[in-house]
Amino acid sequence: CSISGYGPDGPWSKLPGYDVVIAGTHGLMSITGSPDAPAKVGVAMTDIVTGTLAHGAILAALYDRAAHPEKAGQRVDLSLMESQLACLSTTAAGALNSTPGTPPPGRRGTAHESIAPY
């Protein structure tokens, strides 16, 4: 299993991965905090999600190896950036499905974009 900041290929592949930097540059901090000030999440969410996804992928690879011993095996490769973007899929879907001219999703503090009361 390999975990990197930005994946094995591409222009950022050699850069180190750091949870809060990825949160700031790839969207999480744009929806976290009060409307007037961004904030980091209280825990290293991107690191935790990536580790959890790695856990599931490793188990799937082990299951596949047990079910198909003649196969060469699996390569498990995750990046912090991709894991965080996967967590933002509902925010992205909301933005992509909104009416043209609608402001992009933003920081709402403890409010929720589509559920009231929350």
Side-chain angles (χ1 to χ4, degrees), residues 36-75:
D36 59 340
K40 70 178 192 67
V41 178
V43 297
M45 191 209 77
T46 303
D47 288 342
I48 293 167
V49 167
T50 305
T52 303
L53 292 173
H55 171 261
I58 290 167
L59 289 177
L62 290 172
Y63 179 81
D64 186 66
R65 182 174 70 181
H68 306 283
E70 71 283 358
K71 290 174 67 176
Q74 303 289 325
R75 171 145 177 80

Side-chain angles (χ1 to χ4, degrees), residues 46-115:
T46 303
D47 288 342
I48 293 167
V49 167
T50 305
T52 303
L53 292 173
H55 171 261
I58 290 167
L59 289 177
L62 290 172
Y63 179 81
D64 186 66
R65 182 174 70 181
H68 306 283
E70 71 283 358
K71 290 174 67 176
Q74 303 289 325
R75 171 145 177 80
V76 176
D77 192 333
L78 295 97
S79 78
L80 299 174
M81 180 193 67
E82 293 165 331
S83 298
Q84 182 192 277
L85 292 176
C87 291
L88 297 174
S89 62
T90 56
T91 300
L96 292 171
N97 290 317
S98 64
T99 305
T102 302
R107 294 180 295 274
R108 291 178 179 79
T110 58
H112 192 278
E113 180 178 1
S114 60
I115 301 172

Side-chain angles (χ1 to χ4, degrees), residues 24-46:
T25 58
H26 286 82
L28 182 59
M29 286 179 68
S30 73
I31 60 168
T32 307
S34 63
D36 59 340
K40 70 178 192 67
V41 178
V43 297
M45 191 209 77
T46 303

